[in-house]
Short mmCIF file of all heavy atoms in Angstrom, two decimals:
data_model
loop_
_atom_site.label_atom_id
_atom_site.label_comp_id
_atom_site.label_asym_id
_atom_site.label_seq_id
_atom_site.Cartn_x
_atom_site.Cartn_y
_atom_site.Cartn_z
N GLY Z 37 -55.64 -108.66 -277.18
CA GLY Z 37 -55.37 -107.81 -278.33
C GLY Z 37 -53.94 -108.06 -278.76
O GLY Z 37 -53.01 -107.47 -278.21
N GLY Z 39 -51.97 -107.34 -281.37
CA GLY Z 39 -51.59 -106.55 -282.55
C GLY Z 39 -50.16 -106.06 -282.44
O GLY Z 39 -49.30 -106.70 -281.84
N TYR Z 40 -49.92 -104.89 -283.02
CA TYR Z 40 -48.58 -104.31 -283.05
C TYR Z 40 -48.01 -104.16 -281.63
O TYR Z 40 -46.81 -104.25 -281.42
CB TYR Z 40 -48.61 -102.93 -283.71
CG TYR Z 40 -48.79 -102.97 -285.19
CD1 TYR Z 40 -50.06 -102.93 -285.77
CD2 TYR Z 40 -47.70 -103.01 -286.05
CE1 TYR Z 40 -50.23 -102.94 -287.14
CE2 TYR Z 40 -47.85 -103.02 -287.43
CZ TYR Z 40 -49.12 -102.99 -287.97
OH TYR Z 40 -49.28 -103.01 -289.32
N VAL Z 41 -48.89 -103.88 -280.66
CA VAL Z 41 -48.44 -103.68 -279.28
C VAL Z 41 -48.51 -104.99 -278.50
O VAL Z 41 -47.55 -105.38 -277.82
CB VAL Z 41 -49.32 -102.60 -278.60
CG1 VAL Z 41 -49.14 -102.62 -277.09
CG2 VAL Z 41 -48.97 -101.23 -279.16
N ASP Z 60 -57.26 -112.90 -278.85
CA ASP Z 60 -57.63 -111.95 -279.91
C ASP Z 60 -58.95 -112.39 -280.52
O ASP Z 60 -59.23 -113.59 -280.61
CB ASP Z 60 -56.55 -111.87 -280.99
CG ASP Z 60 -56.57 -110.53 -281.72
OD1 ASP Z 60 -57.55 -110.29 -282.48
OD2 ASP Z 60 -55.66 -109.71 -281.50
N LYS Z 65 -55.32 -114.57 -286.65
CA LYS Z 65 -54.08 -114.27 -285.91
C LYS Z 65 -53.79 -115.38 -284.90
O LYS Z 65 -52.64 -115.81 -284.74
CB LYS Z 65 -54.21 -112.93 -285.18
CG LYS Z 65 -54.06 -111.74 -286.09
CD LYS Z 65 -54.10 -110.42 -285.32
CE LYS Z 65 -53.98 -109.27 -286.30
NZ LYS Z 65 -54.44 -108.01 -285.79
N THR Z 114 -57.77 -98.12 -279.77
CA THR Z 114 -58.51 -96.94 -279.29
C THR Z 114 -58.50 -95.90 -280.42
O THR Z 114 -57.73 -94.94 -280.37
CB THR Z 114 -57.87 -96.37 -278.00
OG1 THR Z 114 -56.45 -96.34 -278.17
CG2 THR Z 114 -58.22 -97.17 -276.77
N SER Z 148 -53.78 -99.67 -273.71
CA SER Z 148 -54.22 -98.86 -274.85
C SER Z 148 -54.11 -97.38 -274.52
O SER Z 148 -54.41 -96.96 -273.40
CB SER Z 148 -55.67 -99.18 -275.19
OG SER Z 148 -55.86 -100.55 -275.38
N THR Z 149 -53.72 -96.58 -275.50
CA THR Z 149 -53.62 -95.14 -275.30
C THR Z 149 -55.02 -94.55 -275.15
O THR Z 149 -55.92 -94.87 -275.94
CB THR Z 149 -52.94 -94.50 -276.52
OG1 THR Z 149 -51.72 -95.19 -276.76
CG2 THR Z 149 -52.67 -93.03 -276.29
N GLU Z 181 -48.19 -98.33 -273.57
CA GLU Z 181 -47.21 -98.89 -274.49
C GLU Z 181 -46.46 -97.72 -275.12
O GLU Z 181 -47.04 -96.70 -275.46
CB GLU Z 181 -47.94 -99.71 -275.56
CG GLU Z 181 -47.03 -100.40 -276.52
CD GLU Z 181 -45.93 -101.16 -275.82
OE1 GLU Z 181 -46.22 -102.10 -275.06
OE2 GLU Z 181 -44.77 -100.77 -276.01
N LYS Z 235 -48.54 -90.67 -271.35
CA LYS Z 235 -48.54 -91.17 -272.74
C LYS Z 235 -49.06 -90.09 -273.69
O LYS Z 235 -48.49 -89.85 -274.76
CB LYS Z 235 -49.41 -92.42 -272.82
CG LYS Z 235 -49.65 -92.93 -274.23
CD LYS Z 235 -48.40 -93.52 -274.84
CE LYS Z 235 -48.62 -93.88 -276.30
NZ LYS Z 235 -47.44 -94.40 -276.94
N HIS Z 289 -50.83 -95.06 -286.13
CA HIS Z 289 -52.02 -95.26 -285.31
C HIS Z 289 -52.08 -94.27 -284.14
O HIS Z 289 -53.15 -94.04 -283.58
CB HIS Z 289 -51.99 -96.70 -284.77
CG HIS Z 289 -53.18 -97.06 -283.97
ND1 HIS Z 289 -54.46 -96.86 -284.44
CD2 HIS Z 289 -53.30 -97.57 -282.73
CE1 HIS Z 289 -55.31 -97.26 -283.52
NE2 HIS Z 289 -54.64 -97.69 -282.47
N ARG Z 361 -51.35 -97.43 -291.53
CA ARG Z 361 -52.46 -96.78 -290.81
C ARG Z 361 -52.32 -95.26 -290.77
O ARG Z 361 -51.27 -94.74 -290.44
CB ARG Z 361 -52.58 -97.36 -289.41
CG ARG Z 361 -53.09 -98.79 -289.45
CD ARG Z 361 -53.23 -99.38 -288.09
NE ARG Z 361 -51.97 -99.53 -287.44
CZ ARG Z 361 -51.84 -99.96 -286.18
NH1 ARG Z 361 -52.91 -100.25 -285.48
NH2 ARG Z 361 -50.66 -100.10 -285.65
N1 LIG R 501 -48.83 -99.44 -282.77
C1 LIG R 501 -48.12 -98.71 -281.95
O1 LIG R 501 -46.98 -98.42 -282.26
C2 LIG R 501 -48.65 -98.21 -280.63
C3 LIG R 501 -47.75 -97.58 -279.77
C4 LIG R 501 -48.20 -97.15 -278.54
C5 LIG R 501 -49.53 -97.36 -278.17
N2 LIG R 501 -50.40 -97.97 -279.02
C6 LIG R 501 -51.76 -98.18 -278.53
O2 LIG R 501 -51.93 -99.56 -278.25
C7 LIG R 501 -53.28 -99.95 -278.53
C8 LIG R 501 -53.28 -101.11 -279.51
O3 LIG R 501 -52.68 -100.66 -280.72
P1 LIG R 501 -52.09 -101.65 -281.78
O4 LIG R 501 -51.23 -100.83 -282.66
O5 LIG R 501 -51.51 -102.85 -281.14
O6 LIG R 501 -53.44 -102.06 -282.54
P2 LIG R 501 -53.67 -103.31 -283.52
O7 LIG R 501 -54.86 -102.99 -284.32
O8 LIG R 501 -52.40 -103.70 -284.17
O9 LIG R 501 -54.01 -104.51 -282.51
C9 LIG R 501 -55.18 -104.57 -281.77
C10 LIG R 501 -55.59 -106.02 -281.71
O10 LIG R 501 -56.72 -106.11 -280.86
C11 LIG R 501 -57.61 -107.05 -281.41
N3 LIG R 501 -58.93 -106.79 -280.84
C12 LIG R 501 -59.86 -105.89 -281.21
N4 LIG R 501 -60.93 -105.96 -280.38
C13 LIG R 501 -60.66 -106.92 -279.48
C14 LIG R 501 -61.35 -107.45 -278.38
N5 LIG R 501 -62.55 -106.99 -278.03
N6 LIG R 501 -60.77 -108.45 -277.68
C15 LIG R 501 -59.55 -108.91 -278.03
N7 LIG R 501 -58.83 -108.45 -279.06
C16 LIG R 501 -59.38 -107.46 -279.78
C17 LIG R 501 -57.51 -106.85 -282.90
O11 LIG R 501 -57.93 -107.98 -283.62
C18 LIG R 501 -56.00 -106.61 -283.04
O12 LIG R 501 -55.29 -107.81 -283.27
C19 LIG R 501 -53.97 -98.71 -279.05
O13 LIG R 501 -54.60 -98.05 -277.98
C20 LIG R 501 -52.83 -97.85 -279.53
O14 LIG R 501 -53.16 -96.47 -279.48
C21 LIG R 501 -49.98 -98.41 -280.24
#
Side-chain angles (χ1 to χ4, degrees):
Y40 286 91
V41 165
D60 205 290
K65 283 184 181 161
T114 44
S148 306
T149 308
E181 184 49 63
K235 172 70 186 178
H289 183 52
R361 290 180 294 176

